[in-house]
Every structure is written in structure tokens, then in C-alpha cells.
Amino acid sequence: DTAVSQTPKYLVTQMGNDKSIKCEQNLGHDTMYWYKQDSKKFLKIMFSYNNKELIINETVPNRFSPKSPDKAHLNLHINSLELGDSAVYFCASSQASTTEAFFGQGTRLTVV
Amino acid sequence: QQQVKQSPQSLIVQKGGISIINCAYENTAFDYFPWYQQFPGKGPALLIAIRPDVSEKKEGRFTISFNKSAKQFSLHIMDSQPGDSATYFCAARKGGGNKLTFGTGTQLKVEL
């Protein structure tokens, strides 16, 4: 009965590799997000999709590409991983007409 | 440019004491101010939120005080318990938008 689920929870990979993180929500929300939390715990939005349409695209390297096959899923693909990409990535969802954002448990990405 | 400034960075409180975390913002277009609680290894979870048309909101031991003229808001945790030990984030959202801008977080430790 998990509301926002991300896979994998941990991801260790070498520099230069390409990896994907998957996110699914079963709350019936129409808006999904990706946030990045760095080593100092600072949380910053990366992307937001509403009904499969990209509505927020912060200043993120174009090596990061979100994909939303339907409004319950928002995946994050990262090309040519760099050491600085190491962080915890959180998926979240909300209903556009309300305000609360529900977060997943995060994916800890470590690039070595 | 940090749009939402949060202090202190860390806080140690004795059990039963009052924990106070402060935030200040600059953008007067913000119209929704939530506080999120994050435990280690978990995603942030909404704790309590306020809109600028009220000066205070209380839910159980948690109270938000809001000063619109000073553009400041704070979280008060009464009768702090060891189970409250977590990282707390204030956030702000512009009217009509979905993007949450987070503060830098406060690591709270409640000691016995």
C-alpha cells in the first residue's frame, strides 16, 4: 500500500555509466516531481510533470532526462554519470488542486 | 540565492523542552508555507502547513507562527520528545504553482 515508491533504494555505479531510477505513485495524483538532496541535506527540485507534461525544468544538466509514460509514473534517466551526481534522489507527487506533496523513500545514488 | 533561509542548522533540546526553528523568505508571491519532517533513510513528510492569512496554526504539540510583515515563520515543538529527533525543513510555494522551495534544514536532537 506504498503511496510513492522508488526503485532502486540504493544504486552504486561507476563514472560514465547510464542509469535509471523508477517512480510510481498509487495516490491518483496528477503531478509528479524529482528532487535532489545533496550531502548537506539541501533539497532542490529538478523536474515536475503534470499529466505527463513537463511543467518545471530547473537548471539541471541535460544528462538528466525525466520520462513520464503515464501520470502514475515518472522515471529519471541519467547519462554519463559524474561523481557530483552522488546524492539522494526523491520522487514526489501531489494533486495540482491541493498542496501537500508526498515523497518516496529516496534513491541513494553513489558514483564511484 | 537562497529564497528561504532557515536557522539554526542544528539544535539540541532536552526532553520536555521547546524546540524552535525559524525561517525567513523574500518572495512575497509565496502563499503556502509547509514544514516537513525527515527521519534518516526516509523521505520528507508533511508535518504542518500555514497560509499567510493566519498568524498561527497549532496541531498537537506542533505550532507554526507566521509574521507576514517580517516575512518570517517558525515552528515550535512543545514538550519535545526523543522521537521528534529528525531533520526539519521549512518550505514555501508561490501561488498557483507546484514548486516547493525548501530551507536548508535543521537537525533536531532531543536528549533524555
Side-chain angles (χ1 to χ4, degrees):
Chain A
D1 59 347
T2 304
V4 181
S5 60
Q6 298 177 226
T7 55
K9 188 167 182 178
Y10 300 97
L11 184 54
V12 181
T13 188
Q14 291 187 325
M15 278 197 311
N17 283 351
D18 303 338
K19 290 293 179 185
S20 292
I21 307 172
K22 295 185 177 182
C23 179
E24 176 182 4
Q25 55 95 3
N26 62 5
L27 296 167
H29 290 163
D30 59 5
T31 304
M32 296 185 72
Y33 312 81
W34 279 108
Y35 281 83
K36 180 180 180 180
Q37 187 170 47
D38 63 23
S39 58
K40 295 183 180 179
K41 293 198 172 180
F42 182 59
L43 268 165
K44 192 175 190 311
I45 193 167
M46 301 172 68
F47 302 103
S48 175
Y49 271 74
N50 179 267
N51 283 319
K52 298 171 31 178
E53 181 182 346
L54 181 65
I55 56 171
I56 295 175
N57 185 351
E58 294 292 290
T59 306
V60 176
N62 58 15
R63 298 182 294 103
F64 290 78
S65 53
K67 284 188 171 53
S68 182
D70 56 60
K71 70 175 189 177
H73 295 83
L74 180 62
N75 304 321
L76 183 65
H77 188 76
I78 315 170
N79 288 327
S80 304
L81 278 155
E82 300 177 357
L83 292 176
D85 297 332
S86 296
V88 182
Y89 292 85
F90 286 100
C91 177
S93 73
S94 70
Q95 186 61 23
S97 59
T98 62
T99 52
E100 179 177 0
F102 290 81
F103 284 77
Q105 299 227 16
T107 296
R108 181 175 291 278
L109 172 65
T110 303
V111 183
V112 297
Chain B
Q1 181 185 0
Q2 184 63 33
Q3 290 197 49
V4 180
K5 296 181 179 179
Q6 183 171 346
S7 63
Q9 187 175 353
S10 62
L11 181 61
I12 299 175
V13 173
Q14 295 300 307
K15 181 184 175 192
I18 302 173
S19 303
I20 301 174
I21 304 170
N22 300 300
C23 283
Y25 64 97
E26 297 177 357
N27 193 332
T28 55
F30 289 141
D31 74 343
Y32 171 70
F33 302 89
W35 285 89
Y36 279 79
Q37 180 187 55
Q38 185 180 24
F39 293 105
K42 303 291 186 183
L46 181 67
L47 189 62
I48 186 172
I50 197 168
R51 290 191 181 274
D53 52 347
V54 297
S55 61
E56 185 175 282
K57 184 173 181 180
K58 184 175 180 180
E59 290 184 2
R61 297 185 292 110
F62 301 92
T63 300
I64 301 178
S65 297
F66 189 86
N67 185 329
K68 188 175 180 179
S69 61
K71 292 187 284 186
Q72 294 175 347
F73 58 111
S74 59
L75 175 69
H76 295 234
I77 305 174
M78 311 300 287
D79 187 26
S80 298
Q81 299 297 312
D84 297 331
S85 297
T87 301
Y88 292 81
F89 293 92
C90 63
R93 192 201 65 171
K94 290 181 188 176
N98 288 312
K99 173 185 169 182
L100 283 172
T101 299
F102 283 88
T104 49
T106 296
Q107 193 162 351
L108 170 67
K109 183 177 181 181
V110 180
E111 293 183 335
L112 292 169

